[in-house]
């Protein structure tokens, strides 16, 4: 077994960057976080491989400044498995690739049944990887040797996998499909901050009334502040279900809150003053939340027949056509066209022409290759829907 070590020393780091700069070809990159353990989504380990240089494991908290690595490899193509998961953490370190190849996304476009890294490595190279440390706490120091080997293997074979998948893409005529998908992944802006993020609280639907929602909000905010302060995943302090249970129990004293058996979690009693103050603040605040948030979300398709029968007819005509096109191309339907895009276009009902449908899809974010594959088919389906007897009777009623 090859022994790997984590580079946390500045001098070693510069030497590694120099070696990577002298390597050849694309650069395989991966990131390990401590999701579910820490508050942040920061990188706790960055793995890099390049032919002619080897595998290097970098310790971001210890190193801090990653600009030498950016200078060494920033102009090269970076190979990822599920790039969208790793790019945000890398960008926090000011690491940004010029272009990418995503082996997971390529596998989806190729119609591989299993697209996890271990499955893709095995199907392309015949090499079996163990994935037992994928959910580990990567903020642990020192990192065990077995974890380091796991982390190194995540990038060691990735360039070979890329080359095998490139050959498959060329054989299936999907090279341009993949190029557009990779470019879109790299260019995708970060999601804007969510309004009222406390509404993500699992089980909040059980809470009724603006005042009770205010209590839930204050409990969530108090937990969030403490989690950030401790750099611990919020759910590990007090789970969502416990916060909701506290709201529903409506305790009239701190001791009543402490005596609630459903209010659990490792910080539920040690921080009881914090939680009780949040409840008091929620009961006293004049800034009551809206009980329902305005949304531009479409109604569920099962309600379309009553709410918008023409749109319902369009969706029912177009959906099987898109599914058939995906099957013919040998890829999942959602990779041919994001289902929400089809629902939006069916609901809005642009002119039933390939040009109008294509423009609507492009405005939503569909890539040119996707539009070329489905716009005419969707337009034809819309025409068929408009001419069907059910649609005609719905339009008259």
């Amino acid at each position: 077994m090859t022994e790997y070590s984590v580079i946390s020393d500045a001098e070693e780091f510069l030497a590694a960057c120099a070696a990577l700069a002298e390597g050849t070809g694309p650069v395989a990159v991966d990131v390990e976080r401590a999701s579910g353990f820490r508050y942040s989504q920061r990188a706790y380990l960055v793995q890099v491989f390049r032919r002619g240089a080897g595998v290097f494991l970098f310790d971001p908290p210890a190193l801090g400044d990653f600009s030498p690595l950016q200078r060494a490899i920033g102009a090269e193509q970076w190979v990822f498995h599920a790039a969208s998961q790793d790019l945000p953490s890398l960008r926090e370190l000011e690491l940004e690739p010029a272009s990418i190849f995503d082996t997971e996304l390529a596998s989806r476009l190729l119609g591989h049944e299993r697209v996890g890294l271990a499955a893709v490595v095995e199907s392309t190279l015949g090499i079996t990887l163990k994935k037992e440390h994928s959910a580990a706490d990567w903020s642990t120091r020192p990192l065990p040797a077995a974890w380091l080997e796991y982390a190194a293997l995540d990038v060691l074979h990735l360039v070979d996998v890329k080359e095998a998948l490139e050959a498959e893409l060329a054989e299936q005529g999907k090279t341009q499909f993949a190029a557009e998908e990779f470019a879109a992944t790299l260019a995708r802006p970060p999601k804007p901050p969510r309004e009222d993020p406390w509404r993500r609280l699992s089980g909040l639907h059980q809470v009724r009334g603006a005042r009770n929602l205010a209590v839930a909000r204050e409990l969530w905010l108090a937990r969030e502040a403490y989690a950030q302060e401790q750099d611990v995943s919020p759910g590990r302090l007090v789970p969502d279900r416990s916060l909701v249970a506290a709201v529903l129990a409506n305790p009239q004293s701190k001791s009543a809150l402490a005596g609630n058996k459903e209010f659990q979690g490792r910080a539920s009693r040690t921080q009881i003053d914090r939680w009780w103050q949040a409840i008091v603040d929620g009961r006293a605040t004049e800034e009551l939340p809206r009980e329902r948030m305005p949304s531009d979300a479409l109604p569920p398709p099962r309600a379309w027949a009553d709410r918008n029968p023409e749109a319902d007819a369009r969706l029912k005509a177009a959906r099987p056509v898109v599914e058939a096109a995906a099957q013919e191309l040998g890829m999942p339907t959602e990779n041919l066209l994001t289902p929400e895009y089809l629902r939006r276009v069916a609901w809005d009902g642009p002119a039933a022409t390939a040009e109008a449908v294509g423009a609507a899809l492009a405005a939503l974010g569909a890539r040119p290759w996707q539009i070329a594959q489905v716009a005419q088919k969707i337009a034809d389906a819309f025409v068929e829907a408009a001419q069907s007897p059910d649609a005609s009777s719905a339009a008259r009623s």
Side-chain angles (χ1 to χ4, degrees):
M1 182 180 79
T2 304
E3 289 191 11
Y4 296 96
S5 60
V6 179
I7 294 174
S8 56
D9 172 81
E11 190 174 337
E12 282 185 77
F13 179 52
L14 291 175
C17 292
L20 287 164
E22 292 297 317
T24 59
V27 183
V29 181
D30 190 33
V31 171
E32 302 296 348
R33 292 169 292 275
S35 302
F37 295 93
R38 296 291 182 174
Y39 178 82
S40 71
Q41 290 300 305
R42 70 183 297 188
Y44 281 95
L45 193 71
V46 175
Q47 308 100 282
V48 181
F49 166 80
R50 195 177 190 191
R51 287 174 178 164
V55 173
F56 297 94
L57 309 179
F58 299 116
D59 186 347
L63 292 170
D65 179 15
F66 268 75
S67 58
L69 182 60
Q70 178 66 24
R71 288 193 295 271
I73 65 173
E76 308 301 330
Q77 183 186 60
W78 295 9
V79 185
F80 293 94
H81 191 82
S84 60
Q85 296 180 20
D86 293 338
L87 284 169
S89 300
L90 291 168
R91 284 168 174 156
E92 279 190 20
L93 300 172
E94 298 185 358
L95 292 172
E96 182 76 33
S99 65
I100 66 169
F101 187 101
D102 187 331
T103 56
E104 192 239 19
L105 188 45
S107 299
R108 291 185 183 278
L109 294 174
L110 289 164
H112 289 199
E113 289 187 13
R114 297 162 60 226
V115 297
L117 178 60
V120 173
V121 170
E122 187 169 2
S123 66
T124 54
L125 306 179
I127 296 172
T128 302
L129 298 182
K130 295 180 180 179
K131 299 299 292 179
E132 65 266 38
H133 303 302
S134 58
D137 178 3
W138 289 91
S139 66
T140 301
R141 294 295 184 274
L143 288 165
W147 294 18
L148 298 182
E149 183 187 21
Y150 160 88
L153 291 175
D154 273 359
V155 292
L156 182 61
H157 304 294
L158 216 48
V159 174
D160 292 339
V161 170
K162 172 214 183 234
E163 291 179 349
L165 294 176
E166 277 182 324
E168 280 192 69
L169 289 167
E171 185 180 344
Q172 292 191 22
K174 296 176 179 176
T175 300
Q176 183 60 30
F177 298 0
E180 290 182 23
E181 291 300 299
F182 301 157
T185 298
L186 187 56
R188 190 171 297 133
K191 290 183 179 179
R194 180 169 176 166
E195 186 180 1
D196 289 353
W198 59 272
R199 292 183 186 271
R200 293 177 299 175
L201 194 62
S202 178
L204 189 66
H205 64 279
Q206 302 172 67
V207 177
R208 295 285 184 269
R211 180 60 64 189
N212 286 334
L213 286 173
V215 173
R217 177 188 63 197
E218 296 306 315
L219 279 168
W220 186 91
L221 290 171
R223 184 185 66 173
E224 199 75 2
Y226 187 54
Q228 189 168 10
E229 175 189 318
Q230 299 295 312
D231 193 17
V232 174
S233 177
R236 296 180 74 83
L237 297 172
V238 180
D240 283 9
R241 65 178 180 276
S242 290
L243 296 187
V244 171
V247 178
L248 297 176
N250 192 26
Q252 297 305 301
S253 66
K254 187 195 306 182
S255 59
L257 175 63
N260 185 344
K261 293 182 180 179
E262 292 185 27
F263 187 62
Q264 301 171 346
R266 73 190 206 193
S268 60
R269 301 304 184 276
T270 59
Q271 296 294 313
I272 194 69
D273 290 345
R274 183 185 300 269
W275 315 130
W276 177 246
Q277 187 59 51
I279 291 175
V280 170
D281 291 345
R283 289 171 176 171
T285 184
E286 296 180 3
E287 297 179 7
L288 295 178
R290 289 172 290 187
E291 293 192 50
R292 291 193 177 186
M293 288 291 288
S295 172
D296 64 351
L298 295 174
R302 64 178 177 273
W304 286 26
D306 293 327
R307 299 275 298 273
N308 190 341
E310 292 86 359
D312 183 58
R314 286 191 291 267
L315 182 63
K316 285 176 177 173
R319 189 157 47 192
V321 168
V322 174
E323 289 171 355
Q327 188 171 8
E328 188 176 340
L329 286 167
M331 67 176 65
T333 303
E334 61 268 22
N335 288 107
L336 174 58
L337 186 66
T338 302
E340 176 68 9
Y341 296 174
L342 180 59
R343 288 192 290 269
R344 285 280 174 189
V345 172
W347 183 266
D348 294 339
T353 66
E355 292 74 17
V357 170
L361 290 173
L364 291 166
R367 269 69 73 193
W369 77 268
Q370 296 174 315
I371 294 168
Q373 294 294 322
V374 301
Q376 185 64 64
K377 292 180 171 65
I378 292 172
D380 292 345
F382 285 0
V383 170
E384 181 182 338
Q387 294 174 345
S388 70
D390 290 345
S392 300
S393 60
R396 289 193 299 269
S397 62

